[in-house]
């Protein structure tokens, strides 16, 4: 890895986002810097799809064998492992949320940024459980092995969509993938789905948080431009590089506060179905294991998505990065502590980046890239739900 965080020659190229990105990037980057999406698709299957298919097949077979043998404890352990794997993929999928802006403006080196994000994710994951309780109330699955099948299928749907969007460099929402997967498995199994919770805690915040992020980030950036309108640009940039290190840490803390709790809620749901928990609290071992898995995943990095957020939406400088990160972190804290809503850190930081970019001029935002990101947002919940439903039917068929 080079000092600027770009992959060395010989490593897989970063992913392009959408068919129009090549034309957009050709104005700003040297030819051949990024393969097109079509090229990625041609190269990808030999390396990625068989790995994903084998992983899913192994989990499905394990679950089916466990159901056949009525090994409830073994299946419970398998579900917990699957949930922690999702937490790990959430970490490397969403690492870019906290550090893309800091790395792209060179406020932090890539490795320092990843280490900082991992530590702050760990701390944030230990600061609350209210979001976890909300996630555990989304569905009421059957008890015993059937309930474990539903929970496992939901998480597998989320993992699959996470891996697909990570591969193509699309900063989609791990939160909504998880909720979509759980709801899809719940509907497929005829479980009771709390649609009021889905609407109030997921759907409405899914719309409001990006809009609020865009508007607030725009206002924060306007205020910064007005306050420092007569200051020396070079001196301002140096000072904001320091400030941006703090805002990146704040953003990583908010990511841990939000995203680790979602996996906690899934594990609690599995424990409730087997009678190991009453659902009123989150065991300490669940909190610690989810915090650790998210931190390890974060340190593993997410270079593809980092490139999309840090360079392909707008050209960032330290003041813009600080404005985007500080605004996004405030929204994450407010939704976690006040509304207990599992919002998407991806949606929030991306909309904030667009908001600060719009202060220069609306054309400064690469709306073609933004449109592809928004398409991934729209597809996330139904696609994760569809995959979860298929996994549920397959496991339930073989295990029945």
């Amino acid at each position: 890895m080079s000092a600027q965080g770009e992959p060395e020659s010989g490593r897989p190229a970063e992913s392009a986002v959408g068919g129009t990105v090549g034309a957009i990037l050709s104005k700003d980057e040297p030819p051949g810097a990024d393969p097109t999406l079509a090229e990625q698709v041609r190269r990808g299957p030999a390396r990625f799809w068989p790995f994903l298919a084998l992983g899913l097949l192994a989990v499905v077979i394990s679950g089916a064998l466990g159901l056949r043998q009525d090994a409830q404890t073994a299946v419970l352990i398998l579900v917990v492992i699957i949930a922690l794997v999702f937490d790990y993929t959430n970490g490397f999928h969403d690492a870019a949320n906290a550090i893309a802006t800091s790395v792209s403006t060179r406020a932090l080196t890539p490795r320092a940024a990843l280490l900082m994000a991992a530590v702050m994710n760990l701390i944030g994951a230990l600061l609350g459980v209210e979001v976890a309780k909300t996630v555990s109330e989304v569905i009421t699955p059957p008890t015993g092995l059937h309930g474990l099948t539903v929970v496992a299928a939901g998480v597998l749907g989320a993992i699959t969509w996470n891996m697909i969007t990570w591969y193509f460099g699309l900063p989609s929402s791990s939160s909504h993938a998880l909720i979509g997967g759980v709801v899809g498995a719940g509907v497929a199994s005829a479980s009771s789905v709390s649609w009021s919770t889905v609407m109030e805690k997921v759907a409405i915040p899914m719309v409001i948080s990006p809009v609020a992020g865009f508007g607030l980030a725009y206002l924060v950036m306007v205020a910064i431009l007005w306050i420092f309108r007569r200051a020396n640009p070079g001196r301002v940039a140096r000072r904001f590089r320091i400030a941006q290190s703090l805002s990146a840490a704040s953003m990583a803390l908010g990511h841990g506060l939000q995203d680790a709790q979602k996996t906690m809620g899934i594990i609690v749901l599995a424990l409730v179905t087997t009678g190991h928990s009453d659902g009123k609290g989150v065991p300490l071992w669940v909190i610690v294991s989810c915090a650790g898995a998210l931190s390890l995943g974060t340190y593993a990095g997410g270079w593809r998505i980092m490139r999309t957020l840090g360079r392909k939406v707008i050209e960032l400088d330290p003041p813009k990065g600080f404005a985007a990160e500080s605004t996004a972190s405030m929204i994450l804290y407010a939704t976690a502590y006040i509304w207990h809503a599992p919002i998407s850190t991806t949606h929030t930081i991306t909309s904030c980046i667009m908001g600060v970019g719009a202060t220069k001029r609306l054309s400064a935002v690469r709306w073609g890239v933004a449109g592809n990101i928004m398409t991934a947002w729209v597809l996330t919940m139904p696609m994760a739900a569809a995959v979860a439903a298929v996994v549920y039917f397959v496991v339930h068929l073989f295990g029945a």
Side-chain angles (χ1 to χ4, degrees), residues 52-53 55-61 63-64 67 82 148-161 181 184-185 188-189 383-399:
L52 179 61
L56 287 175
L57 181 63
V59 173
V60 168
I61 291 174
L67 289 172
I82 293 172
L148 290 176
T149 305
V150 175
V151 176
V155 181
L156 284 171
I159 291 174
T160 303
W161 186 247
S189 64
M383 291 300 294
V387 174
V390 170
V391 171
Y392 167 78
F393 285 126
V394 171
V395 175
H396 191 59
L397 176 65
F398 283 98

Side-chain angles (χ1 to χ4, degrees), residues 72-73 76 142-145 147-148 268-277:
Q72 180 171 285
T73 302
L76 174 61
T143 58
L145 288 169
L148 290 176
V268 168
L269 193 60
L271 294 175
V272 169
T273 64
T274 55
H276 289 85
S277 173

Side-chain angles (χ1 to χ4, degrees), residues 99 109-121 295 298-299:
I99 62 177
T109 63
R111 290 302 174 194
L114 281 171
L115 180 60
M116 177 274 296
V119 172
M120 298 308 291
N121 268 307
S295 297
T298 300
Y299 190 69

